[in-house]
Amino acid sequence: MSNTKQTKRLTPGSRETLLTILETLPDAFFVVDDAETIMYANASAQAITGAPPEECLGNRFWHYAPQLVSPSLYQAMRRTRQTKEPNEVEYWSPMTRNWLHAQLTPTVGGLTLQFHQMRAPAPRQETFPQCERLCINDLDGLHTRIGILTPEGIVLDINAVPLDDAQVRREEVIGKPLAETPWWSFAPASQERLRAAIARASRGETVRFEALVRPREGMLLSFESVITPHLDANHHVEYLVIAGIDITARKRAERDIHALIDAIPQLVWTGRPDGYVDSYNQRWRDYTGLSTEEAQGEGWMQCTHPQDRQRVLETWQRAVQNGEPYETEQRLRHGATGEYRWFLMQATPYTDAQGTILKYVGTCTDIHDKKRAEAELRSLVDAIPQFVWIMRPDGSAEYANPRWCDYTDMTSQQYQGDGWLQAIHPDDRQRVLAGWQSAVQAGRPYEAEQRLRNGTTGDYRWFLARGAPFKDAQGTILKYFGTTTDIDEQKQAEQRIKASEENWRVLAETVPQMVWTTRPNGQHEYINQRWCDYMGVTVEHMQSDRWAPLSFIHPDDREGTRALWQHALETGDMYEHEERFRNSQTGAYRWFLARAMPVRNDTGQIVKWFGTITDIDDQKRTEEALRQSQERASVLMNSSIIGINIIEGEQIVDANDTFLRMTGYTHEDLREGRMNWLHMTPPDYLARTQQAHQELATQQSTTYEKEYVCKDGSRLPVLVCGVVFQHHPRQAIAFVLDNSARKELEQRKDDFISVASHELRNPLAALKMQIQLVQKRLERQSHHEAATALTRVEGPVKQLERLIEELLDVSKIQAGRLEYVRETVDLDAMLHEVAETMQQLSTTHAIVVHGAAPRSLVGDKDRLGQVFTNLISNAIKYSPGAETVEMDLSTSEETVTVRVCDHGLGIPREQRDKIFERFYRASGPRQKAIPGLGMGLYIVAEIVKRHEGTITVDSTVGKGSTFTVTLPKKRDA
Ligand code: ADP
């Protein structure tokens, strides 16, 4: 029967008839096009599917009639379409739970399907081999989820497990695209993944993929799914079998592991047994900036340094092939900075109980800094100015740095083994080897000084070799690591120090001081002999106790010494203290200056104290004397009676308060240099003052009277004593006494004398006249006896008259009013006249004149006569027992000299200058007994001075005196 031909013959009119027939058919009848879209379904079909025909028209057959779907039917439909031949199939419908017999007839652009329910399958030949007849229910016992899909992904069959998961009936999913079933439809991502996998599988590829499915609300499972295409004889994909394994537990465990791995602060990765790297932890991804997808498989090569790629890959592949642990060092690029850092890559295979490798777990440890440090260390070792070496305990050399090679001019082959010994001085070799062996035996560090030969110059220099043993856990020495340092200069310096130490000792023993050294704690080490002798102790005694010297110190100084020395030891401050030490021989204490300084090493640590003790006793005494004299000087300076000033040049550079008070100047005037003695001296005292200053140049000290012009212009009479400083001759000190009181007194005395002499002269003149008148009257009356008696009054009256004349002269001299007559004086005649007059008056002495002065001179004859009258009168008066007074006249070209010589009492030396002073009388008892007023020589000297002559005295006490008057011969009129 050919349905196709029948259909083609239908007329439009008969179409209704046909439809009626179809509607009344007891079997379900479908017409589908090539796309398996339902074009027609009769009432029975509707009864089976349970849906009205208008709903099923235009829908896909598989979707609309899940009760009828079966892979057998699907296969039959494919075959009918391919062969264009009618076909039939019988199969068990799990949904309708009965056997169905389906007849398939091709049509133009489609086919018809007619289903007939059966009680049991007809016993006949299978449509397709048993093996291909899928009876999925056989798999229901498995936990595997299995489904059969069209190449488009429509569910043809499915086993019970997934239906239970989703709690759906089979007919709810059969005929629907698997992607739209509850398991997959919940998430577009899962759907997409499934669709992609189905698409690949429908092209003939077995597709394996993992995905999340959600069979029902609240149930989320991880599936590892495999879609296997089933090919027909023509190698076309007939249908697909999808099998899903629940890997939720594994995934969770993996997630946990990955969370754990992610938390590890190292870079971690995992690889499959075949070497496919399949996961990286967060750290790894953060570091490389690559995602797991990008780095999967051999994707990690991207972040591996190009120079390392080949080597690392080969190592990895070798490890995987041999199932061995993997370890290598490689550079990994930092995703953000692009920098490469060194990592140690390690991976360990993770096996099951049978030893089958399940996984590789790998770590990447950042060893960049270590690598760099190693590199730096290497360059450091190469750069350090020392020799660095590694030796084996047997004394064979393993390594020596380039410095060693350069110095010794040895190659690494040459120094290896015991070759290094050749560089050591032959004299040192034995000792060095012995030292080495004993260090190794005792497991101690090795240290030796040795001379090493400079391979280029052949010279030897001293070196210090030091090595430390490197031991394993059991304490066995594996190697010695060591350095060798050039100590040649140090050695030489030591030699020099040794020599200088000897020099130092000689020095310390010869200096005129006490010298000692102590340890940093103050313990004495060395004390020179001088110090031991002074204290009367031995060095050993001093070394026994660091406070030993205290017992030799004056009790009053001990505490201070102890405290200061303690302080110095604690702080390292320099020690300096004056203290008294007892001399062991005399028992007396003398002052010493003790000083100590710390001697430090290169690191600033005190290694010893070095001290000296200097005798300053004399100095102290001098200081004390000086202090006392300074005190006295300052007392003097502060004297309120004596004014003191210090002059330098014309300037008064210092003055005490008394002097300032006297003169009215202030300290400020003094500081500002406003005190100038020249300006402070009135013109009439200038000559005397300058003279006094000149005198100072020769005699260091002079006393004179003067006046100062005070600041307010008033004048102050003073008595000045000037003294020149011995050590500072440009400076002089002047002691100034206020002389005003005395001067005032003198003035009053002068005034009195002046008045008295005048007052006495007039009555005396009247008296004299009266006597003469009485005398004459007596003569006339011939009372000769009375007249003669009266003549005796003449002498005393004359004496009185002379006295008053002298007083008047003195007062005139004082007032500067003594007048002189200028006349030519015949000196010879005048002197003889004087001598004669005096001879007449003297009854006791003979006045003898020697020589002559035959020249005249200009002067006041009376006054000159007064000079010699006075001198002869004194000569007679002060030579009571003598008989002669000599006058000696002599001349020279320029001068006339008159000497008046007596043989009397003489004048003591110290009084000789003073006798020319006003009212001065020599103080001897015999002189005192002789009447006089001390005016004569004063007037004499004044008169001689006014005649530009000089008067001097030469005398021997008890033998007599000679007064010498020298006068210039001619004086201009
Ligand atoms: P006077 O009136 O005391 O003689 P003068 O001025 O003449 O005063 O003499 C002063 C002092 O000098 C006398 O007091 C006397 O001590 C001493 N003098 C003067 N001439 C002589 C002399 N020729 N021999 C000893 N002493 C003399």
Side-chain angles (χ1 to χ4, degrees):
M1 176 181 85
S2 168
N3 283 334
T4 311
K5 284 175 188 168
Q6 279 177 3
T7 308
K8 280 180 181 170
R9 281 199 300 272
L10 277 175
T11 59
S14 63
R15 181 181 163 91
E16 292 303 319
T17 313
L18 184 61
L19 280 175
T20 309
I21 295 165
L22 287 176
E23 286 301 320
T24 53
L25 263 177
D27 293 337
F29 183 83
F30 294 88
V31 178
V32 299
D33 64 8
D34 281 344
E36 292 163 357
T37 305
I38 300 171
M39 307 299 291
Y40 172 76
N42 69 354
S44 298
Q46 186 193 337
I48 289 177
T49 59
E54 57 272 19
E55 271 184 33
C56 70
L57 291 182
N59 284 313
R60 294 205 65 195
F61 174 79
W62 303 110
H63 180 66
Y64 177 70
Q67 298 84 349
L68 304 174
V69 173
S70 105
S72 307
L73 178 67
Y74 174 76
Q75 282 174 319
M77 279 173 77
R78 271 179 54 86
R79 200 156 298 171
T80 305
R81 267 210 306 279
Q82 282 167 2
T83 58
K84 302 291 184 195
E85 291 291 327
N87 198 357
E88 59 184 335
V89 63
E90 283 175 9
Y91 62 96
W92 167 257
S93 164
M95 268 173 282
T96 56
R97 308 206 70 77
N98 52 20
W99 282 93
L100 290 174
H101 174 239
Q103 285 180 297
L104 301 91
T105 312
T107 64
V108 177
L111 56 85
T112 63
L113 296 150
Q114 189 174 347
F115 297 90
H116 177 73
Q117 291 194 0
M118 300 179 353
R119 284 190 193 285
R124 58 185 176 98
Q125 193 69 37
E126 290 293 338
T127 326
F128 44 82
Q130 183 65 39
C131 61
E132 289 185 2
R133 223 187 71 206
L134 295 172
C135 187
I136 218 157
N137 280 345
D138 296 344
L139 300 171
D140 277 356
L142 294 175
H143 281 289
T144 311
R145 280 78 174 161
I146 293 182
I148 297 170
L149 308 175
T150 67
E152 292 79 25
I154 287 161
V155 181
L156 297 175
D157 205 351
I158 192 160
N159 72 342
V161 184
L163 296 173
D164 289 347
D165 290 341
Q167 292 174 356
V168 291
R169 285 174 287 116
R170 188 169 264 127
E171 56 268 36
E172 287 178 76
V173 290
I174 295 290
K176 289 186 183 164
L178 182 63
E180 281 157 27
T181 58
W183 297 280
W184 298 93
S185 63
F186 77 101
S190 289
Q191 276 183 318
E192 264 323 297
R193 187 161 298 179
L194 176 68
R195 282 184 185 131
I198 290 172
R200 279 165 63 193
S202 66
R203 290 194 289 274
E205 187 186 332
T206 299
V207 182
R208 186 187 294 271
F209 70 104
E210 285 179 14
L212 274 178
V213 295
R214 193 185 68 176
R216 63 172 189 268
E217 194 69 37
M219 183 188 226
L220 198 62
L221 302 174
S222 285
F223 268 26
E224 186 184 337
S225 304
V226 182
I227 305 178
T228 317
H230 192 277
L231 306 180
D232 61 14
N234 299 322
H235 297 286
H236 289 127
V237 176
E238 207 171 22
Y239 57 91
L240 308 173
V241 178
I242 177 165
I245 300 165
D246 181 1
I247 55 162
T248 310
R250 196 185 91 201
K251 272 284 167 187
R252 194 176 298 130
E254 265 184 14
R255 250 199 323 279
D256 290 351
I257 287 168
H258 276 118
L260 190 72
I261 286 175
D262 274 348
I264 296 175
Q266 250 183 322
L267 277 54
V268 180
W269 49 274
T270 59
R272 291 190 206 146
D274 60 0
Y276 183 93
V277 181
D278 59 351
S279 78
Y280 299 92
N281 75 341
Q282 189 62 44
R283 273 269 166 159
W284 197 97
R285 297 195 301 268
D286 289 349
Y287 177 83
T288 61
L290 296 177
S291 66
T292 299
E293 285 72 26
E294 287 169 320
Q296 262 175 348
E298 286 176 11
W300 52 279
M301 278 292 139
Q302 296 169 58
C303 55
T304 299
H305 194 284
Q307 287 173 6
D308 300 340
R309 279 179 197 163
Q310 182 73 18
R311 173 179 58 82
V312 167
L313 194 61
E314 281 171 13
T315 314
W316 172 236
Q317 283 166 349
R318 206 167 36 246
V320 167
Q321 266 170 22
N322 301 335
E324 285 168 351
Y326 164 71
E327 181 171 319
T328 186
E329 289 179 359
Q330 71 160 88
R331 282 162 285 183
L332 272 185
R333 192 183 60 221
H334 189 275
T337 64
E339 271 178 73
Y340 283 95
R341 289 181 71 82
W342 278 99
F343 283 85
L344 171 68
M345 317 295 280
Q346 288 171 306
T348 317
Y350 171 64
T351 56
D352 63 11
Q354 286 72 45
T356 311
I357 293 174
L358 300 175
K359 204 97 182 162
Y360 272 95
V361 179
T363 56
C364 319
T365 311
D366 189 332
I367 52 163
H368 193 77
D369 293 338
K370 196 178 121 205
K371 278 282 250 193
R372 201 172 53 200
E374 267 176 17
E376 282 172 0
L377 193 69
R378 226 186 347 267
S379 53
L380 187 75
V381 166
D382 289 351
I384 50 175
Q386 286 170 310
F387 305 151
V388 180
W389 45 261
I390 303 170
M391 295 271 285
R392 298 183 195 93
D394 63 1
S396 62
E398 183 180 307
Y399 166 81
N401 72 341
R403 288 236 167 210
W404 159 273
C405 300
D406 289 350
Y407 179 81
T408 57
D409 201 22
M410 279 185 169
T411 63
S412 60
Q413 284 78 34
Q414 284 171 319
Y415 72 66
Q416 292 280 341
D418 59 1
W420 57 279
L421 270 174
Q422 295 308 312
I424 292 181
H425 194 287
D427 293 354
D428 297 344
R429 272 181 212 159
Q430 200 54 40
R431 179 174 53 80
V432 164
L433 266 182
W436 169 260
Q437 279 154 4
S438 75
V440 171
Q441 267 164 24
R444 276 199 324 265
Y446 161 77
E447 184 170 321
E449 289 185 0
Q450 53 197 240
R451 279 163 289 178
L452 287 179
R453 187 168 174 277
N454 183 321
T456 320
T457 64
D459 295 338
Y460 283 93
R461 285 178 74 83
W462 276 100
F463 284 83
L464 171 67
R466 304 180 68 178
F470 177 67
K471 301 177 183 175
D472 64 11
Q474 283 71 45
T476 311
I477 297 175
L478 300 175
K479 284 167 189 179
Y480 268 80
F481 290 97
T483 58
T484 300
T485 314
D486 188 333
I487 54 161
D488 202 65
E489 278 175 20
Q490 192 181 324
K491 270 282 206 191
Q492 284 178 17
E494 268 174 25
Q495 296 285 349
R496 283 198 297 272
I497 287 169
K498 223 175 148 192
S500 86
E501 243 171 34
E502 272 154 26
N503 289 342
W504 182 84
R505 254 167 216 275
V506 171
L507 190 72
E509 288 299 339
T510 43
V511 288
Q513 278 173 310
M514 327 296 192
V515 181
W516 51 266
T517 65
T518 73
R519 298 206 185 118
N521 66 358
Q523 185 89 38
H524 281 83
E525 271 179 343
Y526 165 79
I527 295 154
N528 72 347
Q529 195 54 44
R530 187 180 296 276
W531 193 212
C532 291
D533 292 349
Y534 183 85
M535 288 191 289
V537 290
T538 60
V539 177
E540 291 69 32
H541 173 78
M542 294 294 279
Q543 285 170 341
S544 66
D545 175 13
R546 67 178 169 141
W547 296 112
L550 275 187
S551 57
F552 302 96
I553 290 178
H554 193 286
D556 292 352
D557 302 339
R558 271 179 209 161
E559 251 340 281
T561 302
R562 179 196 286 277
L564 207 65
W565 181 225
Q566 187 73 49
H567 172 81
L569 288 176
E570 281 165 11
T571 60
D573 287 351
M574 193 179 147
Y575 175 83
E576 187 168 318
H577 192 221
E578 289 181 1
E579 48 215 25
R580 283 162 287 183
F581 280 96
R582 196 179 60 237
N583 184 320
S584 63
Q585 280 169 3
T586 65
Y589 284 97
R590 285 182 71 79
W591 277 104
F592 287 86
L593 172 66
R595 302 181 72 189
M597 276 174 68
V599 179
R600 295 171 190 275
N601 63 12
D602 291 346
T603 60
Q605 217 176 5
I606 295 174
V607 290
K608 66 163 69 181
W609 283 85
F610 175 82
T612 57
I613 298 177
T614 313
D615 189 331
I616 53 162
D617 203 67
D618 294 341
Q619 189 185 329
K620 281 287 255 192
R621 281 181 213 284
T622 311
E623 275 174 14
E624 179 58 23
L626 191 68
R627 192 189 60 74
Q628 284 179 8
S629 96
Q630 266 176 350
E631 199 175 297
R632 281 197 289 269
S634 96
V635 167
L636 187 69
M637 276 298 266
N638 294 332
S639 144
S640 56
I641 297 170
I642 305 169
I644 297 172
N645 66 55
I646 295 168
I647 59 160
E648 189 170 335
E650 293 177 7
Q651 207 63 35
I652 294 177
V653 294
D654 198 4
N656 70 349
D657 289 348
T658 309
F659 184 76
L660 294 174
R661 198 171 54 245
M662 281 176 176
T663 53
Y665 281 93
T666 62
H667 281 286
E668 199 188 337
D669 294 328
L670 186 67
R671 274 197 304 276
E672 300 295 318
R674 288 197 285 264
M675 294 184 77
N676 180 302
W677 62 261
L678 216 56
H679 298 160
M680 288 171 72
T681 303
D684 39 336
Y685 283 98
L686 209 54
R688 176 67 190 100
T689 307
Q690 276 167 341
Q691 183 199 335
H693 280 272
Q694 278 159 13
E695 283 166 13
L696 276 180
T698 54
Q699 63 200 46
Q700 292 222 330
S701 161
T702 180
T703 305
Y704 61 103
E705 283 181 12
K706 68 173 281 183
E707 286 182 4
Y708 276 120
V709 180
C710 299
K711 196 178 177 185
D712 61 3
S714 64
R715 287 165 67 147
L716 178 75
V718 289
L719 191 64
V720 179
C721 173
V723 182
V724 166
F725 283 118
Q726 261 185 348
H727 300 292
H728 203 326
R730 288 178 57 232
Q731 283 195 346
I733 185 164
F735 301 98
V736 181
L737 264 180
D738 186 338
N739 209 18
S740 53
R742 205 184 107 203
K743 280 285 168 188
E744 197 187 320
L745 205 64
E746 259 179 28
Q747 188 59 50
R748 265 191 257 151
K749 187 181 74 189
D750 290 347
D751 292 349
F752 169 77
I753 289 167
S754 170
V755 171
S757 53
H758 277 99
E759 290 301 315
L760 286 169
R761 201 164 68 152
N762 294 340
L764 186 65
L767 183 66
K768 200 176 154 189
M769 210 165 66
Q770 246 353 89
I771 289 170
Q772 283 171 355
L773 280 174
V774 172
Q775 206 174 9
K776 279 181 184 165
R777 199 171 292 163
L778 285 174
E779 287 288 345
R780 272 197 308 270
Q781 291 171 2
S782 300
H783 296 298
H784 297 294
E785 213 170 315
T788 307
L790 197 62
T791 54
R792 285 189 212 121
V793 182
E794 279 175 19
V797 168
K798 267 207 177 117
Q799 203 178 337
L800 194 61
E801 200 178 30
R802 210 170 53 242
L803 193 68
I804 290 165
E805 279 304 322
E806 279 186 354
L807 271 175
L808 266 173
D809 284 351
V810 166
S811 134
K812 277 181 195 162
I813 290 167
Q814 277 302 109
R817 285 189 281 109
L818 192 66
E819 284 163 7
Y820 297 88
V821 180
R822 285 178 172 272
E823 57 191 340
T824 304
V825 182
D826 179 349
L827 202 61
D828 229 23
M830 187 269 283
L831 287 171
H832 279 95
E833 195 182 316
V834 168
E836 270 167 37
T837 311
M838 292 307 292
Q839 187 63 72
Q840 283 169 15
L841 291 173
S842 170
T843 53
T844 52
H845 291 72
I847 299 166
V848 184
V849 180
H850 302 288
R855 302 288 285 272
S856 57
L857 51 82
V858 176
D860 188 322
K861 187 187 160 205
D862 289 346
R863 289 293 177 198
L864 285 172
Q866 192 181 350
V867 167
F868 295 105
T869 304
N870 223 314
L871 290 177
I872 293 169
S873 159
N874 275 352
I876 294 167
K877 195 162 68 172
Y878 294 105
S879 59
E883 291 170 354
T884 57
V885 168
E886 280 114 40
M887 261 180 86
D888 189 64
L889 282 65
S890 62
T891 58
S892 73
E893 239 173 76
E894 300 285 318
T895 56
V896 179
T897 303
V898 182
R899 287 191 182 81
V900 178
C901 180
D902 66 62
H903 306 285
L905 303 175
I907 307 157
R909 179 176 294 278
E910 66 277 8
Q911 297 178 2
R912 281 177 208 161
D913 287 339
K914 292 183 180 169
I915 54 175
F916 298 101
E917 287 174 14
R918 212 161 38 126
F919 307 125
Y920 184 85
R921 302 205 67 232
S923 54
R926 295 190 64 190
Q927 270 108 332
K928 272 196 171 163
I930 298 162
L933 290 172
M935 290 186 289
L937 287 180
Y938 172 69
I939 297 164
V940 164
E942 179 65 21
I943 295 168
V944 172
K945 196 169 115 191
R946 291 296 293 265
H947 283 82
E948 293 175 6
T950 57
I951 180 164
T952 57
V953 62
D954 190 16
S955 179
T956 309
V957 175
K959 288 204 170 159
S961 311
T962 301
F963 285 84
T964 306
V965 175
T966 305
L967 294 164
K969 268 188 189 161
K970 274 270 185 196
R971 282 187 71 213
D972 294 334

